[in-house]
Structures are given as structure tokens and as C-alpha cells.
Amino acid sequence: MKNPPPAQRYTGTVRKLVVMCSIGIRPEEQGRPQRVRISAELTAPDDAPYPGDNRRRVINYEKVVAAIRTIAAAEHIDLCEGLAERIANACFADPRVAHVRVAVEKLDVFADAEGVGAILERHRPG
């Protein structure tokens, strides 16, 4: 099946959510929560209809935000990549999500950088 043009795809987003998270491998990061900015794009399958006003078809960004907050608060995470992977896996709990792109940035590591981190893209397993 040929992919439709991007304008026909449906994507739900969470942009620049800032949470406190115990993250990092440097000694000064251990056990000391820091600000982390997270963005996620959750794309429906190519053949999924645009949800319009149908709440049963929508990718629920409230649940995504709640999952991000839960993951960030749960335990120390060594790497931004690990946090991004946990978030991506949580996004696939919604069967309407076929592809996810997660960006994780630690905001206070370098005074002369807005943020440092990682971006992860995954397609639904299987």
C-alpha cells in the first residue's frame, strides 16, 4: 500500500512539557531531580480516519502527559535515551498509535546550551 501524503496523516502532540526527573550518570545528577523538557508526536496508522469530533478516534494527549509524569517521577533514569524509550513504549499502550517520536532534553546541564538530550523514533512493534 502506498503511503498517503503527510497532509492526510493524523498526529497528536505534546510539546515542550517540562517535568522534574532524576536523570543522569554524572555524580552531581544522582538523586537530584532536574528539569527535563519532553515533546512527543504520536501518529495514527496511514489508513486511520481523521477523528474530527469523534472522541473514540482521538489520540488522548491527557493520557500521554500523565504517562510522562508517572515515568519521570518513578525512579532514577541514567540516560535521556532510556527516558525516551520508556515514554515511547507507554505511547504504544494506545492502539491508535502507529509511530511515535519522542524528544527528551535536560535543560540545566550547560549554561550556554538551551538543552541536551536525545530524539527517538519508533514504529509500533510487530
Side-chain angles (χ1 to χ4, degrees):
M1 174 184 227
K2 189 175 179 183
N3 286 341
Q8 294 181 17
R9 290 194 181 126
Y10 164 56
T11 300
T13 65
V14 174
R15 294 186 62 220
K16 300 181 180 182
L17 175 69
V18 177
V19 296
M20 297 300 289
C21 183
S22 179
I23 188 169
I25 58 173
R26 300 177 346 185
E28 62 271 18
E29 294 176 309
Q30 301 290 315
R32 184 176 156 255
Q34 59 183 297
R35 292 182 318 137
V36 177
R37 181 171 47 220
I38 300 166
S39 294
E41 296 177 2
L42 301 90
T43 304
D46 291 340
D47 59 352
Y50 185 74
D53 285 332
N54 186 335
R55 290 185 283 170
R56 290 188 176 110
R57 292 185 183 162
V58 74
I59 295 171
N60 188 331
Y61 52 78
E62 262 185 85
K63 288 183 179 181
V64 175
V65 169
I68 291 169
R69 289 179 175 150
T70 297
I71 292 165
E75 62 185 343
H76 180 83
I77 299 168
D78 285 341
L79 300 171
C80 291
E81 291 81 354
L83 177 55
E85 187 166 24
R86 286 173 173 86
I87 293 167
N89 290 338
C91 290
F92 288 127
D94 186 330
R96 292 166 289 226
V97 176
H99 176 263
V100 66
R101 181 178 193 267
V102 179
V104 173
E105 296 176 280
K106 297 191 297 184
L107 301 178
D108 302 316
V109 175
F110 299 107
D112 54 348
E114 186 176 323
V116 295
I119 297 173
L120 171 73
E121 289 194 50
R122 290 274 195 270
H123 290 279
R124 176 173 289 287

